[in-house]
Amino acid sequence: MDRLAKRQLIGTAGLVAVAAIVTTLLTPERVVAQLLHLADHPVYLAGVIVGLYLVRPFFAWPTMPLSAFVGFVLGVKYGFPVALMGALVTCLIPYRFALRAGEQGGMFGWLGDSGRRIIEVTGETRGVLAARLSPVPADPVSYGAGFARVSPRSFAVGTFIGEIPWVAVEVTAGASLRSLTLTGLTIDALPHVLLFSAALAVLVLAGPAYRHVSAPNSS
């Protein structure tokens, strides 16, 4: 198993283990009470949110729990823009690492090669956007873009727009959990958002892919 896959597996397992320990030691009511208490102290809350987004890439945690946490403590109105900016910032960290690291072997090398092939066909912004709209974990996309030498502007624009539907669902789910009623529109909308994002990814790639395949020298 490659290093990136190991890191993601260990990071996710660690996050699950922490959640299991917390829920074992504390009742759900106590956990909710502590989070609501944190939400009443904006300075501490801001520090926690910034800290979580900054350390997330080093533990290879998925971004979804952070967006849900932000939705829980801030609600949809304020949580959505905060979580969207947090997703961009936390994705920039592995991207900048890969950009500075240069050529790599193993899985990192494969990510770089894959990223370059996609970008040759789609262009930088379009390729990052399609990758973000697809259900691919955040970090492989960020590393791949960095190793493929995608420009910071293209990476930021593609990531910002591509994360919008995912962050919207995750923040809404977190806001619903605040009242312990994860029902209705949030759950019902999830399959539609997945389908919508996949369709957008196809549309984003369709034009460049067709031009690449139909070009006289493409073979």
Side-chain angles (χ1 to χ4, degrees):
M1 185 181 294
D2 57 85
R3 288 181 297 170
L4 181 57
K6 283 183 179 178
R7 283 189 62 216
Q8 291 190 313
L9 181 60
I10 294 172
T12 303
L15 186 60
V16 171
V18 170
I21 293 172
V22 170
T23 54
T24 299
L25 297 178
L26 300 175
T27 63
E29 292 80 7
R30 183 68 182 275
V31 173
V32 170
Q34 291 297 321
L35 290 177
L36 292 177
H37 177 73
L38 180 63
D40 291 333
H41 296 77
V43 175
Y44 294 127
L45 178 60
V48 169
I49 291 175
V50 171
L52 287 174
Y53 276 112
L54 290 180
V55 303
R56 183 212 63 81
F58 301 100
F59 294 98
W61 292 338
T63 58
M64 181 185 68
L66 298 187
S67 297
F69 166 73
V70 171
F72 185 93
V73 294
L74 294 180
V76 175
K77 181 179 178 180
Y78 298 106
F80 175 73
V82 169
L84 188 57
M85 290 305 301
L88 175 59
V89 170
T90 198
C91 288
L92 280 170
I93 296 173
Y95 161 76
R96 293 294 299 178
F97 167 81
L99 197 63
R100 292 174 178 271
E103 294 292 334
Q104 297 286 323
M107 172 58 77
F108 287 122
W110 178 83
L111 287 173
D113 292 339
S114 300
R116 280 186 286 271
R117 286 195 296 269
I118 293 173
I119 288 167
E120 286 175 0
V121 176
T122 65
E124 292 186 345
T125 303
R126 196 186 296 256
V128 174
L129 172 58
R132 292 298 183 196
L133 289 171
S134 66
V136 176
D139 287 342
V141 175
S142 300
Y143 283 118
F147 288 127
R149 316 299 293 178
V150 171
S151 70
R153 180 182 180 279
S154 295
F155 178 82
V157 172
T159 296
F160 185 84
I161 298 175
E163 286 292 328
I164 287 176
W166 301 108
V167 170
V169 170
E170 293 156 5
V171 168
T172 303
S176 298
L177 280 173
R178 181 162 185 159
S179 59
L180 301 180
T181 55
L182 187 59
T183 57
L185 180 61
T186 301
I187 295 299
D188 293 340
L190 183 56
H192 299 287
V193 171
L194 293 174
L195 181 61
F196 176 69
S197 296
L200 280 179
V202 172
L203 290 175
V204 166
L205 292 173
Y210 175 79
R211 289 193 295 270
H212 175 72
V213 171
S214 61
N217 58 351
S218 61
S219 59

